Amino acid sequence: MHSFWETIIEPVLEVLQPGTIVEIGASEGRNTANLLGFCQRHGATLHAIDPLPKFDVASYQQRYGERFVFHHALSLDAIPTIDRFDVVFIDGDHNWYTVYNELKLIEKISAASSQPFPLVMLHDIGWPYGRRDLYYNPENIPEAFRKPYEQRGIRPGSPELVERGGMNPHLFNAVQENVLQSGVLTAVEDFLKESEQALELMKFPGLHGFGILVPALIREQKSELGRLLDDLDLAPFARQHVDLIEEVRIETEI
């Protein structure tokens, strides 16, 4: 997520000027640090959620004080304890069940508090987890929504896991991709089919894919945001070119 800071995230935040930011999935804290810097400059508050953070949370709390609220919990347990969402970042457990229910909870809580649905930014809507589930801890996912999985790697063009090598062979990856209720992008699309919100999904290729759920109300109220998002949107040729670069990058990474 932090790789998109200068090109997309910071410009969007500067336009929106949110008072409360929620980050689902803090990991090593690199995007958390960027967000806290923004909060410190603009008087905002960051709620970060992660059951297993890979950074020194205490040092961040000491430095940023009341600007930083950390939730050492699973996202579906922590989200109901937060009463406001101006902007939300989703980059946690990359599977359909978690992402779909994160969005449903955000919608439910926003409606209950008579607040508009927030702008939501999501990572990993592209390959490999746009259409395939990943389970950091399979036991956290109800059995009915847990796809068959194995600790084996993934390769582009292979719908099944590979015997050797591939990407993320140490993680619990769903055996199949492109099946019902599997993957981050599928979760977002299924949420949009059911939601009564007027939302637009913008998709940006590269670095495993980045998405923005843009409420129509925010576009209407923030004309500058609409102009910025239109400028960020790529022409079809540019998208194809970035997709090609991403294929080469992934093969190199593997």
Side-chain angles (χ1 to χ4, degrees):
M1 182 76 82
H2 70 280
S3 300
F4 299 93
W5 177 257
E6 293 183 1
T7 54
I8 301 177
I9 296 173
E10 186 177 28
V12 169
L13 292 180
E14 290 290 346
V15 171
L16 285 182
Q17 292 293 308
T20 303
I21 301 171
V22 178
E23 180 189 33
I24 300 172
S27 188
E28 297 172 352
R30 285 183 283 185
N31 198 52
T32 309
N34 289 333
L35 293 171
L36 285 169
F38 174 87
C39 289
Q40 194 171 55
R41 294 191 301 273
H42 297 279
T45 299
L46 172 67
H47 289 262
I49 303 170
D50 201 306
L52 296 169
K54 299 175 183 177
F55 65 99
D56 187 349
V57 174
S59 67
Y60 276 46
Q61 290 176 320
Q62 183 176 8
R63 178 175 179 180
Y64 295 101
E66 62 182 10
R67 299 291 172 210
F68 183 42
V69 181
F70 189 77
H71 303 261
H72 199 285
L74 296 173
S75 61
L76 299 182
D77 295 328
I79 289 172
T81 69
I82 303 171
D83 59 7
R84 185 173 184 86
F85 309 87
D86 293 328
V87 175
V88 179
F89 294 85
I90 295 181
D91 192 16
D93 205 1
H94 306 321
N95 57 72
W96 184 92
Y97 176 83
T98 302
V99 174
Y100 173 82
N101 283 288
E102 287 168 346
L103 292 169
K104 295 291 282 187
L105 275 174
I106 291 166
E107 181 179 47
K108 178 181 178 181
I109 295 167
S110 297
S113 56
S114 300
Q115 298 173 30
F117 190 88
L119 184 139
V120 179
M121 301 192 201
L122 310 102
H123 193 206
D124 290 286
I125 66 167
W127 191 91
Y129 296 120
R131 303 297 186 189
R132 184 194 297 270
D133 273 0
L134 159 68
Y135 310 119
Y136 286 118
N137 183 352
E139 296 305 315
N140 291 334
I141 310 301
E143 186 175 356
F145 297 97
R146 192 169 61 225
K147 305 300 182 188
Y149 63 89
E150 294 181 11
Q151 278 186 296
R152 286 199 285 152
I154 313 167
R155 273 199 175 276
S158 174
E160 298 182 355
L161 302 179
V162 295
E163 291 297 329
R164 291 186 178 183
M167 181 169 284
N168 295 338
H170 61 295
L171 297 178
F172 297 107
N173 299 305
V175 171
Q176 294 284 342
E177 70 174 342
N178 293 315
V179 297
L180 291 175
Q181 297 184 341
S182 185
V184 175
L185 181 56
T186 306
V188 177
E189 291 172 345
D190 289 349
F191 167 77
L192 288 174
K193 290 174 186 176
E194 298 178 6
S195 176
E196 296 181 359
Q197 308 292 326
L199 299 169
E200 171 191 6
L201 173 61
M202 297 190 69
K203 296 184 283 188
F204 301 89
L207 301 172
H208 303 301
F210 187 83
I212 306 179
L213 277 176
V214 187
L217 180 62
I218 294 180
R219 257 197 185 267
E220 293 170 5
Q221 294 176 342
K222 296 279 188 177
S223 58
E224 187 180 349
L225 175 67
R227 290 192 294 271
L228 171 62
L229 293 175
D230 290 341
D231 287 342
L232 290 172
D233 203 9
L234 296 177
F237 170 78
R239 287 185 175 274
Q240 291 175 2
H241 188 63
V242 174
D243 285 340
L244 176 61
I245 294 171
E246 178 72 347
E247 289 177 14
V248 175
R249 187 193 69 81
I250 287 171
E251 284 296 338
T252 303
E253 183 177 341
I254 291 174

